[in-house]
Structures are given as structure tokens and as C-alpha cells.
Amino acid sequence: MTSISIPLERLTTAHICCRLVLNGKPIFLLVDTGASNSCVGQHRVDFFDLHLNKKVVEAAGAGHEKLTAQKTDKGVLETVTGQLLTELPWMVLDLEPINSSLAKNDAPSIDGILGAELLQNGQAQIDYQKAELRLQF
């Protein structure tokens, strides 16, 4: 089993984020243990060379609103040092409401969300003191 440590960044909003590489390009992800799937913003699909499936699905957020999403073909996710984490399909969502809220708090915008499917498969441990996400594959 391989242990991988990923540095975390705490935003002014107290959210935690990490920098990874998706399909060879840098991605800034909000770490969300409550999100069932990893997501990428629809504004970044082309940049990350992701291919959308035709089917539109309904997704549920923590609030009462219903979101529409599309799944992509698998994308290759790596650390910034080139360690392979996984290949997984991404859910594509409109992240504009999240990024708008972050901007109002002087926080940087995100490209996507690192969700529970990767965190559970990697037996994630979040060390807040060391600002580190540890995964084991």
C-alpha cells in the first residue's frame, strides 16, 4: 500500500483546498467530505480535456436546491509531483455560485471539488495541524 501526503490550503472562509493535476493540468480543488462525487466546474471541462457523457442527471447538494450535472469519461488525477492517485469520472456542475461566494470573502475560486469517492477509497485522513491530506492506495 502506498501512502501519499497532499498539502492543504485553508481559505479565508475556513474551507480546505488542495492542488493536484488532472489530465496533465493543474487543478485547485475544495476538499468536501460530504460530496459523494468529485466534481469539476463546467467552465473548466475543455481546459482539462474532459469528455461529457450525453446523459444529464439530477444531483443533490447540502441545501434544498436540485442541481443538474453530467458525468465525464475518466480523467487521470495525480499529485503535483506526478504520483498517480486515480482515474475516475467527474461530475460536471456549475460552480459559479460557490466561486461567487468565495470571491465575496476574498478567497480564490476553485476548479472543482474533491469528493468522498476518492477520499473513502484512499482511506483519507485530514491532519488540520499539519495542513495535510493523507491517502493510502
Side-chain angles (χ1 to χ4, degrees):
M1 202 171 261
T2 303
S3 183
I4 299 170
S5 294
I6 299 166
L8 295 173
E9 299 176 31
R10 187 178 296 264
L11 303 184
T12 56
T13 57
H15 291 96
I16 55 173
C17 293
C18 64
R19 296 182 187 278
L20 295 172
V21 175
L22 176 59
N23 290 342
K25 298 182 179 165
I27 186 168
F28 189 58
L29 296 166
L30 184 134
V31 178
D32 187 348
T33 60
S36 54
N37 294 291
S38 294
C39 308
V40 68
Q42 63 189 145
H43 67 293
R44 302 296 276 165
V45 169
D46 291 336
F47 177 77
F48 293 115
D49 298 320
L50 294 168
H51 304 282
L52 292 172
N53 295 339
K54 301 246 187 263
K55 185 177 176 185
V56 175
V57 296
E58 197 171 87
H64 296 290
E65 73 281 356
K66 293 291 182 190
L67 308 169
T68 57
Q70 282 182 278
K71 200 174 249 191
T72 70
D73 291 339
K74 289 183 179 180
V76 177
L77 190 64
E78 301 171 301
T79 66
V80 294
T81 59
Q83 288 180 286
L84 177 65
L85 295 174
T86 190
E87 291 185 32
L88 74 153
W90 292 75
M91 296 302 288
V92 176
L93 296 173
D94 178 9
L95 295 180
E96 183 54 35
I98 294 170
N99 282 328
S100 177
S101 178
L102 290 171
K104 288 177 186 173
N105 291 284
D106 296 321
S109 62
I110 60 169
D111 297 312
I113 297 169
L114 190 64
E117 90 278 46
L118 183 129
L119 298 170
Q120 288 174 348
N121 289 341
Q123 301 174 29
Q125 293 180 337
I126 297 172
D127 186 326
Y128 286 92
Q129 284 189 315
K130 292 183 180 178
E132 179 180 89
L133 170 65
R134 287 188 294 274
L135 300 170
Q136 291 188 8
F137 292 102

